[in-house]
């Protein structure tokens, strides 16, 4: 089996200054400061669904909710109540959701970028006011699939990948889509990225999902994703003290 990756990592280049600067890329998170003073305000860089980085300018006294409101307006969704700011950490137990009613500048540092994420996974999805919210949820779920937060089998990745390709690239067009035309879209964890998987996704896109509108693909994506065993589940690492581990042991006795 050819184990060459089907996707390429794109380094993120972050411009300095500007207003609502958005950087598209699927590479590692930048080390550019998360927040910096700008006169009487504060410029805060956030990871949006789909791994885009955008800088927002706010008042120095702004709360985390103010940042969520501004980000949701830019993303075109009215469903602000479903979103929050997640502060990731290499040690999962240290990750946290920012307190939305508290001042933003007291909750963030200059090294780690907060993620704008959906905090709730309601079903049915008709509770959303905006169709755009469903699309943003798809982007978040796709990120979870790639990072392995949401485990999935190869067959699942083929179905979901073909639907994501339809959302991002539209109906198959042989004049535009040739070779490995999905190379720019992250569709699987790195260890599962193979030419065979790419070919299966492209074949399903050409012959099954092509012709769907963007939001038909969105609805089918969500309908399929919610049936994955760990959909809507967040896993946490738990540290157990040595003494407690010793207590949990039982000694085998023989007569």
């Amino acid at each position: 089996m050819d184990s060459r990756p089907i996707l390429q990592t794109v380094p993120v280049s972050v411009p300095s200054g500007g207003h609502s600067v958005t950087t598209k890329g699927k590479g590692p998170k930048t080390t550019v400061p998360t927040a910096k003073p700008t006169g009487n305000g504060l410029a805060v860089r956030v990871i949006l669904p789909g791994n885009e980085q955008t800088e927002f300018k706010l008042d120095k006294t702004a709360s985390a909710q103010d940042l969520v409101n501004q980000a949701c307006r830019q993303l075109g969704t009215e469903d602000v109540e479903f979103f929050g700011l997640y502060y990731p950490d290499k040690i999962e137990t240290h990750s946290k959701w920012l307190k939305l009613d508290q001042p933003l500048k007291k909750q963030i540092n200059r090294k780690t970028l907060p993620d704008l994420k959906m905090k709730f996974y309601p079903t049915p999805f008709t509770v959303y006011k905006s169709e755009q919210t469903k699309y943003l949820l798809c982007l978040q779920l796709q990120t979870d699939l790639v990072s392995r937060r949401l485990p999935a089998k190869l067959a699942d990745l083929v179905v979901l990948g073909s639907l994501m390709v339809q959302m991002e690239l539209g109906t198959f067009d042989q004049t535009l889509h040739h070779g490995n035309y999905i190379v720019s879209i992250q569709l699987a964890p790195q260890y599962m990225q193979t030419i065979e998987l790419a070919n299966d996704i492209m074949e399903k896109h050409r012959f099954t999902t092509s012709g769907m509108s963007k939001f038909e693909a969105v609805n089918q994506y969500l309908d399929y994703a919610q049936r994955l065993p760990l959909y809507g589940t967040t896993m946490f690492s738990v540290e157990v003290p040595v003494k407690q581990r010793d207590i949990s042991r039982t000694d085998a006795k023989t007569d």
Side-chain angles (χ1 to χ4, degrees):
M1 178 180 291
D2 191 337
S3 60
R4 289 175 294 170
I6 63 173
L7 308 174
Q8 298 175 346
T9 299
V10 182
V12 176
S13 175
V14 182
S16 60
H19 179 68
S20 291
V21 177
T22 300
T23 302
K24 292 185 179 181
K26 307 301 181 181
K29 293 181 179 180
T30 176
T31 56
V32 171
T34 299
K36 56 186 178 182
T38 57
N40 294 325
L42 189 69
V44 184
R45 188 168 291 276
V46 179
I47 303 291
L48 301 178
N51 285 341
E52 290 185 359
Q53 296 183 21
T54 298
E55 184 179 272
F56 296 94
K57 291 185 177 180
L58 304 106
D59 187 85
K60 285 185 178 180
T61 61
S63 67
Q65 183 67 63
D66 292 328
L67 177 55
V68 171
N69 293 345
Q70 190 175 139
C72 286
R73 280 196 299 271
Q74 177 162 313
L75 290 170
T77 176
E78 301 175 33
D79 297 296
V80 180
E81 64 273 21
F82 291 99
F83 290 86
L85 290 167
Y86 187 71
Y87 221 53
D89 194 278
K90 291 182 179 179
I91 303 175
E92 188 66 30
T93 52
H94 294 172
S95 299
K96 63 180 181 181
W97 290 95
L98 299 190
K99 296 178 180 179
L100 296 180
D101 60 342
Q102 298 298 313
L104 182 63
K105 66 179 181 180
K106 293 183 179 181
Q107 301 186 71
I108 58 179
N109 59 45
R110 295 176 61 85
K111 295 182 179 180
T112 306
L113 302 183
D115 291 321
L116 181 79
K117 299 184 68 173
M118 299 189 73
K119 299 180 69 173
F120 310 106
Y121 293 78
T123 51
F125 301 108
T126 51
V127 297
Y128 296 136
K129 304 183 190 77
S130 169
E131 287 292 304
Q132 178 70 0
T133 307
K134 296 181 184 179
Y135 171 63
L136 296 173
L137 178 55
C138 290
L139 293 181
Q140 180 167 316
L141 290 170
Q142 192 64 36
T143 299
D144 289 345
L145 287 169
V146 171
S147 66
R148 295 185 290 176
R149 292 190 193 97
L150 179 59
K153 299 177 181 178
L154 278 172
D156 300 322
L157 294 175
V158 171
V159 174
L160 294 171
S162 67
L163 291 165
M164 181 57 63
V165 171
Q166 182 64 19
M167 289 180 227
E168 299 299 294
L169 302 182
T171 294
F172 178 77
D173 184 339
Q174 61 182 358
T175 64
L176 299 174
H177 303 144
H178 44 78
N180 187 5
Y181 62 89
I182 64 173
V183 69
S184 63
I185 308 174
Q186 288 190 321
L187 299 172
Q190 186 172 6
Y191 77 100
M192 299 176 76
Q193 295 172 10
T194 63
I195 293 298
E196 287 82 356
L197 177 60
N199 288 337
D200 288 344
I201 291 173
M202 289 188 289
E203 181 178 1
K204 194 165 187 65
H205 173 236
R206 286 195 295 269
F207 299 111
T208 304
T209 60
S210 279
M212 293 182 185
S213 70
K214 175 179 177 178
F215 286 105
E216 284 176 337
V218 164
N219 287 331
Q220 287 205 23
Y221 187 104
L222 294 178
D223 183 63
Y224 191 98
Q226 70 176 327
R227 297 198 296 268
L228 295 176
L230 293 182
Y231 170 82
T233 302
T234 301
M235 306 297 289
F236 294 95
S237 300
V238 178
E239 297 179 358
V240 180
V242 174
K243 290 184 179 180
Q244 290 188 20
R245 289 203 299 267
D246 291 340
I247 292 172
S248 66
R249 294 175 181 173
T250 56
D251 296 325
K253 295 183 180 180
T254 57
D255 293 330

